[in-house]
Amino acid sequence: MTSLQFPARPSDADRERALELLRDGAAEGRLSQDTFLRRLELVLTAQQHSDLAAATADLESRGKVQGLLLRMVGRVSAFHIRVRRAWRTERLPKLLLPEPGPFPLLIGRAPGVGLRLNHETVSRNHAELRSEGTGWMLRDLGSTNGTCVNGRRLVGEIPVGPGDHIRFGQVDYVLTERQAPPER
């Protein structure tokens, strides 16, 4: 009895590599918009590896040296952004985590919240910080300008801790813990 051998279909990883080549080619100006869209369709509907190879054959010619050079230029050009971000983070005011308790700390502009931030980008009821077990959970309460944790917009609830960069609208803080008094 003989078994039939069919050529392996391209995997999602193969398609992703081909899509990355197409994106890079379009970003470098090596592909027009129409050519990019036509090849994108070819990659997404490819049934064999040869279909993927045909769609990206002229884009794979970038040598290792050219790729290395482009990555190095990208890192050097982004250096000032990383320095500015680090400088800014070190100078942020510290937000002291409250003592754990049964009630959450409400943050916003409304009178009566636990942490009142008087800034026009902070919503009246902006966020909620609550203790859970040994850590803290931060939740955005549907604020207009959002809450960010370490540069990423908060969706739902996320655990936070000392050293995290928290942004309520345009108001930035670095979370810190209470320091235990030194023993004598």
Side-chain angles (χ1 to χ4, degrees), residues 38-83:
R38 196 168 42 251
R39 290 187 186 188
L40 179 68
E41 182 70 26
L42 287 172
V43 167
L44 294 176
T45 60
Q47 296 294 317
Q48 299 178 359
H49 286 280
S50 60
D51 297 336
L52 291 178
T56 60
D58 61 332
L59 299 174
E60 293 177 348
S61 64
R62 179 170 52 174
K64 292 180 181 179
V65 173
Q66 184 182 4
L68 177 65
L69 184 62
L70 286 173
R71 284 192 300 275
M72 286 176 49
V73 167
R75 287 183 185 139
V76 168
S77 64
F79 178 72
H80 75 283
I81 295 170
R82 290 194 310 267
V83 168

Side-chain angles (χ1 to χ4, degrees), residues 8-51:
R9 294 185 63 178
S11 67
D12 288 341
D14 294 332
R15 289 182 200 280
E16 188 59 40
R17 281 191 291 277
L19 290 173
E20 185 177 337
L21 284 171
L22 289 177
R23 283 191 297 265
D24 290 346
E28 294 169 2
R30 296 169 60 185
L31 295 177
S32 68
Q33 180 72 21
D34 292 334
T35 304
F36 174 76
L37 292 174
R38 196 168 42 251
R39 290 187 186 188
L40 179 68
E41 182 70 26
L42 287 172
V43 167
L44 294 176
T45 60
Q47 296 294 317
Q48 299 178 359
H49 286 280
S50 60
D51 297 336

Side-chain angles (χ1 to χ4, degrees), residues 3 13 18 23 45 53-54 57 65 72 78 107 111 114 117 125 128 138 156 160 167-168 184:
S3 63
R23 283 191 297 265
T45 60
V65 173
M72 286 176 49
I107 302 163
L117 303 175
N125 292 308
E128 170 183 272
L138 181 66
V160 294
R167 179 179 214 147
F168 306 104
R184 295 181 186 220

Side-chain angles (χ1 to χ4, degrees), residues 144-157:
T144 304
N145 293 308
T147 303
C148 294
V149 176
N150 297 325
R152 293 208 167 116
R153 183 126 183 192
L154 176 61
V155 177
E157 192 172 53

